[in-house]
Amino acid sequence: MAIKGLLPRSLKFRMTSVVVLLVLAAATVVTWLALLMAERDMKGIIGAQQYAVLSTAAAYVDEQLESKRALLATLPEGMPLQAQDQPGALQALLESRPVVRAEFSNIVVFDRAGLMVATLRPDLNTGPVSANARPYFEQTLRSRKGMISAPFLSQLSGRPVVLVTQPVLDSDNQVAYVITGSIDLQKSDFFGPINALKPGKTGFMFIMTTDGILLHHPTPSRLLQHINNRPGYNRATEMALAGFEGWTEAQNKDGSEGIYSYKRLHTTNWIVAARYPTAEAFAPLIELRERAVIASTALAALAGLLAWLAVVRLLQPLQRLRGNLANIRKGGADIALLRSGRRDEIGELSDAFYELMAERADAQERTRDSETLVRNILQHAPAAFVSCDTEGNITEWNAQAEHTFGWRRDEAIGRDVAMLIVPPQMRAAHRAGMARFAREGAGPLINNRVRMPALHRDGHEIPVELSIGALQHGSEYYATAFLHDVSERVAFEERIAAGERRARIIADNMPLLVAYIDRDLRYRFTNEHYQFMLGIDPKSMLGRTIEEVFGRHAYLRWQTGIEAALRGERVHEERSGDELGRNMHLLVELVPDVAADGGVAGFYMVGMDITQRKEAELTQAASEKRLQLITDHLPVLISYIDRAHRLRFANATFQRWLGLDPARLTACPLSEAIGPAQYDRHRPLLEQAFKGEMISFELRARVRGASRTLETTFVPDVRPDGSVAGVYGLTHDMSRIKAVEQQLIELARLDPLTGIANRRKFEEVLGLAIARARRHPQQMALAYLDIDHFKSINDTLGHGAGDTVLKEFAQRLSGAVRSTDTVARLAGDEFVIIFENIHSDAETSLLADKIIAAIRHGFHVDGKLMQVSTSIGLALYGCDGESEASLVARADRALYTAKRNGRDCYVVDGVPA
């Protein structure tokens, strides 16, 4: 439409333009297709060539890396074993290999701990250098193989480098040293041949790791940076990082097109890449394209000139007819001017125009009169009128439509009716109906009245009553609709329906019998609870009387109340009976329906089955009685304490144990019941129980005149919402259990065979004895004893005889010591004695002599007399800092000294210095 407005209205010019455009289009299309095919082939050739060059460069880099790795691996060859412990020899070894030195910017040797011990560039070493925790160093130690590191910034040179590592193994096949050769990514001629292979004048090659870190780039400042550090997106780069190899065309982050090639190295998996700008690659093709456009333009201009001359000649009669029509339209000439009298096609066209314009003038007059009448009727219609064509475009919009939907007529005409008044959720169905109407001129809504929502200009929906008709005008169909706003009617109906719905839902979901009974005692409303409670279908009751539904007997039972309700009195009754088919207890309300004139139209009946509640009340009373009986006869103090710390319950055990009357304890403050001192002691524990914790504790109290051990447990009474309503107190008499527990503890500390102390009790007594010795000036001593040749007694006489000897040995030890001393058996024939309050070393010797003499008397075993002796090691305690283990160890050493001295004797280990 824009081009049409710019072109002159002349038919000859238009025909000339068409010819020129056709010629130009044909020439352009042919030329463009040829250039596209050439460009596509040229792209494939350039891409393949670039990838081949890139593969050569990658092979060169692989070869150089392998060469450097192999060269570095020769460095440890021939190294004497003693050189591995001499850093000076390693430094001399590096300086003696000029071939290796020429291949790397620096060579550094690190020991197993990662410290530098030799370097070819001592001038770069400004302090201690460590490779510890460096990935290349740690990986070489683990694998014991050489590797090529990731690029990083060198500690020595401060330049971006890549390291080649080689481990040196010692005689145990462990890594003794790690040799590293560095390749300077900025100064090394390592990438020189790659730069020589760059594509074109402005293209370039670069190398990056699989993580996108640049190793080589024409911009040195970008080395060791991520290739995506620059903002933007490059599809080719992302493909290469994902594993792509080959060539592709893509835009760089500046939006410039280019041909990209990618190849991965076999040795390191680095990515070698090249970029060739498309503008440079296809410069000759672009120049050829410009020449082709100029040639096709010149050809079109020549064809246009020749076409214009031919058209001017042929269209002269048509130009005259055009002038005559223009004069008639302006009103300056009569239509008779169209009769030209020519016998050719233009003459026939002139006569046809004349007849057509005459008929048109007559029809227009009649149509104007008819349209005026119809429009006046529609404009004054009380309902909105809308008509539209088969595509849904509005063709008529009356005043009521403006009022109902908020759109003026000039705004609505020509617009899509769906976008103006059809809600979004209904537009798909509307368009499907309009498509069917366009095909058939009919539809399910045609000539029907329906109610549906319509859309107001401000976005809110309006309920309308819609009458749709179909009108055919020529071969076209038009849909007409009268729309009446029924918002008020719908709101009223919804309020009534909502009220009825709420009343029905409430009534049906109440656990009550709800009914309305008129003056003739017929049911007019019943809820669903009749079905649940009595098994009667509530719908079957409607229209029937009380007597017809429940029988004469039931009616007579309720007659008095019914008559009172019909007199306008409200009736409340609670009674039991079986008149409704089963024995139940009912609570019934009869509410009269009093009209405005004071008359009673009927009454509402609300009945509640309280049978279960009555039964539950009886059951609860019986249960409480049983529970009280049980708690009163349990040997446990049971109480309940509220949040104000008042007793709300106490069982009869309080009377039997403490002489407290449970009835007088109810509502008594806990501080008064148990005394202020006990209350203050137990109050923190009670507060913990009120926080929801179960608390148990022990206390001593006098029960029935005797001191007893009581265990009390506070159990919180937790509500469903998590709060604590009160605390139950349960108190048990634990005295008997405590006595048994003490007996068990004592038994656990005695040796079961000999009846003397065992190792556990010995360790407890020894610790206490050492503590007393530290506090008081008296000395103490520890004796470590065993039975000489006890193994031979077991082997020759049996374990039964051995046990007899052990028991007799223990009895003699116990008889030979003082009452303040402790005799214990550790294991087997090992015994110990703790001597406390030793006043001198001579007293220790006397005690040892006494024990040895007591053991030398003959032992009676299985009716035979046998000689038994003992060896004793004595250790005197006198050092404040000495531990129990140290004292036992010294006594044990003294025992072994006594054994070496011939047994049947003792050795004293004096006080340590």
Side-chain angles (χ1 to χ4, degrees):
M1 295 298 293
I3 295 175
K4 182 178 180 180
L6 294 174
L7 294 176
R9 296 178 179 272
S10 170
L11 180 60
K12 61 185 178 183
F13 186 86
R14 291 173 183 273
M15 293 179 68
T16 304
S17 299
V18 168
V19 173
V20 173
L21 290 175
L22 289 175
V23 173
L24 180 60
T28 302
V29 168
V30 172
T31 305
W32 195 261
L33 288 176
L35 291 174
L36 284 178
M37 294 177 65
E39 185 175 342
R40 183 192 62 188
D41 295 341
M42 191 172 180
K43 281 183 181 178
I45 294 171
I46 293 175
Q49 289 178 346
Q50 184 172 324
Y51 183 68
V53 171
L54 191 70
S55 298
T56 302
Y60 170 77
V61 174
D62 272 327
E63 181 181 349
Q64 289 295 311
L65 288 173
E66 287 293 347
S67 173
K68 290 180 183 297
R69 289 179 64 177
L71 189 60
L72 193 65
T74 64
L75 194 59
E77 293 180 0
M79 180 190 296
L81 294 178
Q82 60 273 17
Q84 296 182 2
D85 299 325
Q86 301 174 7
L90 293 173
Q91 182 70 34
L93 175 66
L94 295 182
E95 294 174 354
S96 67
R97 300 292 179 92
V99 176
V100 179
R101 181 175 185 175
E103 291 295 324
F104 297 96
S105 59
N106 190 14
I107 297 178
V108 179
V109 181
F110 296 97
D111 63 13
R112 187 195 309 272
L115 295 177
M116 184 177 73
V117 297
T119 177
L120 283 179
R121 295 289 304 275
D123 57 307
L124 297 177
N125 187 13
T126 59
V129 178
S130 173
N132 191 23
R134 290 280 187 165
Y136 65 84
F137 183 76
E138 297 295 334
Q139 186 174 346
T140 304
L141 287 182
R142 287 195 303 270
S143 64
R144 294 187 295 177
K145 294 181 180 179
M147 59 163 294
I148 300 175
S149 75
F152 65 96
L153 201 65
S154 172
Q155 298 182 67
L156 294 174
S157 65
R159 302 179 65 82
V161 298
V162 171
L163 292 186
V164 181
T165 69
Q166 176 62 38
V168 179
L169 304 181
D170 57 17
S171 58
D172 295 330
N173 204 27
Q174 298 296 320
V175 177
Y177 295 95
V178 175
I179 303 175
T180 63
S182 61
I183 302 173
D184 192 325
L185 297 179
Q186 288 182 329
K187 287 187 174 182
S188 174
D189 60 355
F190 181 65
F191 300 116
I194 296 179
N195 294 330
L197 297 176
K198 72 173 185 176
K201 296 180 180 180
T202 61
F204 61 89
M205 300 183 74
F206 60 96
I207 301 177
M208 60 182 175
T209 67
T210 53
D211 295 329
I213 303 302
L214 288 168
L215 298 163
H216 174 68
H217 195 273
T219 306
S221 62
R222 294 191 63 187
L223 292 181
L224 298 189
Q225 292 186 6
H226 197 280
I227 194 168
N228 285 331
N229 272 4
R230 292 180 60 204
Y233 174 78
N234 189 319
R235 179 182 60 84
T237 299
E238 300 304 323
M239 290 171 59
L241 293 176
F244 170 75
E245 285 189 314
W247 70 275
T248 185
E249 188 175 10
Q251 288 186 350
N252 66 4
K253 294 180 179 179
D254 297 328
S256 175
E257 294 283 349
I259 297 175
Y260 289 84
S261 302
Y262 299 96
K263 178 68 177 178
R264 295 207 174 202
L265 299 181
H266 295 297
T267 53
T268 62
N269 208 28
W270 294 345
I271 302 171
V272 182
R275 182 182 188 273
Y276 193 3
T278 304
E280 180 182 350
F282 298 106
L285 196 62
I286 294 172
E287 183 180 356
L288 178 62
R289 188 185 304 164
E290 293 174 353
R291 292 178 181 176
V293 171
I294 293 172
S296 62
T297 304
L299 178 62
L302 178 60
L305 178 62
L306 295 177
W308 183 79
L309 293 175
V311 169
V312 168
R313 176 79 177 176
L314 295 173
L315 295 183
Q316 283 182 352
L318 193 59
Q319 283 289 100
R320 286 194 295 272
L321 177 60
R322 175 178 174 274
N324 292 335
L325 287 172
N327 291 331
I328 293 171
R329 289 184 61 193
K330 293 176 182 179
D334 188 76
I335 61 174
L337 189 62
L338 295 175
R339 295 183 178 274
S340 63
R342 293 177 61 90
R343 297 280 186 180
D344 56 8
E345 292 84 353
I346 296 178
E348 293 177 359
L349 182 62
S350 298
D351 293 340
F353 270 124
Y354 172 77
E355 295 173 0
L356 181 62
M357 292 188 71
E359 293 174 358
R360 178 174 172 270
D362 184 52
Q364 283 180 341
E365 185 66 25
R366 293 194 303 272
T367 301
R368 276 193 296 270
D369 294 341
S370 177
E371 287 180 351
T372 301
L373 176 62
V374 172
R375 185 169 290 110
N376 287 334
I377 294 173
L378 294 177
Q379 284 298 322
H380 294 85
F385 176 79
V386 179
S387 67
C388 59
D389 58 21
T390 54
E391 295 183 358
N393 298 319
I394 297 173
T395 59
E396 189 55 60
W397 186 270
N398 72 345
Q400 188 59 38
E402 292 181 341
H403 174 74
T404 302
F405 302 111
W407 295 95
R408 298 195 312 273
R409 185 176 187 278
D410 59 332
E411 294 176 323
I413 296 297
R415 297 277 297 276
D416 185 357
V417 68
M419 301 305 296
L420 254 61
I421 64 173
V422 177
Q425 67 273 16
M426 301 176 64
R427 287 173 184 167
H430 166 79
R431 289 193 170 94
M434 290 301 296
R436 178 178 176 182
F437 177 71
R439 294 191 309 270
E440 305 172 5
L445 300 182
I446 300 298
N447 298 325
N448 285 316
R449 184 184 294 271
V450 295
R451 182 181 292 182
M452 62 178 56
L455 196 64
H456 191 271
R457 181 173 187 165
D458 61 9
H460 78 275
E461 293 187 357
I462 308 166
V464 297
E465 199 168 68
L466 177 66
S467 299
I468 302 179
L471 175 66
Q472 184 175 5
H473 183 69
S475 60
E476 299 291 333
Y477 286 98
Y478 293 88
T480 62
F482 285 95
L483 303 96
H484 181 63
D485 185 355
V486 293
S487 301
E488 294 182 1
R489 188 197 311 170
V490 169
F492 180 71
E493 292 172 354
E494 288 179 350
R495 284 196 297 272
I496 294 176
E500 293 178 350
R501 199 162 46 247
R502 285 193 295 271
R504 169 58 70 177
I505 290 172
I506 293 171
D508 285 345
N509 288 278
M510 291 176 63
L512 306 170
L513 297 175
V514 181
Y516 180 79
I517 303 169
D518 63 16
R519 290 197 63 86
D520 297 330
L521 303 185
R522 294 187 181 276
Y523 287 96
R524 297 303 178 189
F525 174 85
T526 53
N527 71 338
E528 290 292 332
H529 201 61
Y530 277 92
Q531 181 72 50
F532 172 77
M533 181 173 170
L534 303 176
I536 301 175
D537 183 4
K539 295 179 181 178
S540 68
M541 299 171 62
L542 299 179
R544 300 170 63 191
T545 65
I546 298 175
E547 188 173 341
E548 290 172 349
V549 175
F550 295 108
R552 181 68 178 174
H553 176 68
Y555 169 71
L556 293 176
R557 289 285 303 273
W558 294 93
Q559 184 177 5
T560 303
I562 292 171
E563 292 173 351
L566 291 176
R567 290 195 302 270
E569 302 174 14
R570 185 164 184 157
V571 179
H572 176 85
E573 287 192 25
E574 181 179 335
R575 64 165 66 176
S576 59
D578 56 359
E579 62 268 18
L580 298 182
R582 63 185 178 89
N583 189 19
M584 61 178 62
H585 202 97
L586 288 176
L587 179 64
V588 177
E589 289 276 348
L590 302 181
V591 182
D593 179 17
V594 182
D597 59 358
V600 179
F603 61 89
Y604 297 93
M605 192 279 292
V606 180
M608 179 185 296
D609 181 7
I610 60 173
T611 306
Q612 292 183 355
R613 189 179 76 187
K614 286 295 183 180
E615 293 175 351
E617 291 174 355
L618 296 174
T619 302
Q620 183 177 359
S623 177
E624 289 178 354
K625 184 177 181 180
R626 287 193 298 271
L627 183 61
Q628 184 72 47
L629 185 64
I630 293 170
T631 56
D632 284 345
H633 289 82
L634 285 174
V636 179
L637 295 177
I638 301 176
S639 61
Y640 185 82
I641 307 164
D642 63 14
R643 295 197 66 85
H645 293 196
R646 289 180 177 271
L647 285 169
R648 292 300 178 185
F649 172 81
N651 68 341
T653 311
F654 277 84
Q655 180 72 49
R656 295 195 301 272
W657 284 14
L658 305 176
L660 299 176
D661 185 4
R664 300 188 62 181
L665 291 177
T666 304
C668 176
L670 186 61
S671 59
E672 295 181 12
I674 65 175
Q678 290 285 1
Y679 174 72
D680 291 340
R681 187 179 305 124
H682 299 148
R683 183 174 181 176
L685 301 175
L686 188 60
E687 291 295 342
Q688 284 184 262
F690 274 107
K691 293 178 182 178
E693 300 180 34
M694 183 180 292
I695 304 297
S696 295
F697 58 92
E698 292 183 0
L699 71 154
R700 298 288 295 178
R702 296 194 68 79
V703 177
R704 294 189 292 271
S707 179
R708 311 291 289 177
T709 299
L710 302 180
E711 181 184 64
T712 298
T713 300
F714 286 151
V715 180
D717 179 14
V718 182
R719 295 191 182 104
D721 62 356
S723 62
V724 178
V727 172
Y728 293 97
L730 308 176
T731 302
H732 304 260
D733 186 354
M734 302 293 291
S735 303
R736 183 179 300 174
I737 296 175
K738 285 292 181 180
V740 172
E741 181 181 325
Q742 189 62 35
Q743 291 176 3
L744 293 175
I745 291 173
E746 289 300 323
L747 289 174
R749 299 166 72 242
L750 297 178
D751 180 53
L753 177 64
T754 63
I756 63 175
N758 62 5
R759 180 184 290 274
R760 177 182 296 179
K761 186 171 182 178
F762 161 71
E763 291 173 350
E764 294 174 359
V765 174
L766 179 62
L768 295 174
I770 290 177
R772 285 191 290 270
R774 289 172 180 171
R775 291 194 301 268
H776 303 290
Q778 292 89 352
Q779 283 189 341
M780 67 162 288
L782 177 66
Y784 208 122
L785 310 86
D786 66 2
I787 300 173
D788 294 335
H789 308 294
F790 180 72
K791 185 175 183 301
S792 63
I793 296 174
N794 271 339
D795 293 342
T796 57
L797 301 179
H799 290 282
D803 291 345
T804 301
V805 171
L806 289 173
K807 289 188 283 188
E808 179 65 23
F809 186 83
Q811 290 177 3
R812 294 191 184 187
L813 288 181
S814 299
V817 299
R818 302 167 301 174
S819 60
T820 58
D821 300 332
T822 302
V823 180
R825 178 189 177 207
L826 299 183
D829 65 329
E830 295 182 4
F831 292 81
V832 290
I833 303 174
I834 301 173
F835 298 111
E836 294 193 66
N837 297 323
I838 301 297
H839 298 90
S840 64
D841 296 348
E843 184 178 0
T844 305
S845 299
L846 289 174
L847 290 171
D849 287 332
K850 184 178 179 182
I851 293 170
I852 291 175
I855 301 302
R856 284 174 177 165
H857 294 293
F859 280 58
H860 293 275
V861 180
D862 293 337
K864 297 178 181 180
L865 187 66
M866 64 180 300
Q867 293 299 317
V868 176
S869 63
T870 182
S871 299
I872 305 174
L874 284 163
L876 301 179
Y877 178 83
C879 178
D880 288 344
E882 187 174 16
S883 65
E884 301 169 19
S886 174
L887 183 62
V888 172
R890 289 199 294 114
D892 188 31
R893 287 198 300 271
L895 170 62
Y896 277 96
T897 303
K899 287 180 176 292
R900 287 195 298 270
N901 291 344
R903 291 185 173 85
D904 194 21
C905 64
Y906 68 90
V907 171
V908 180
D909 188 325
V911 177

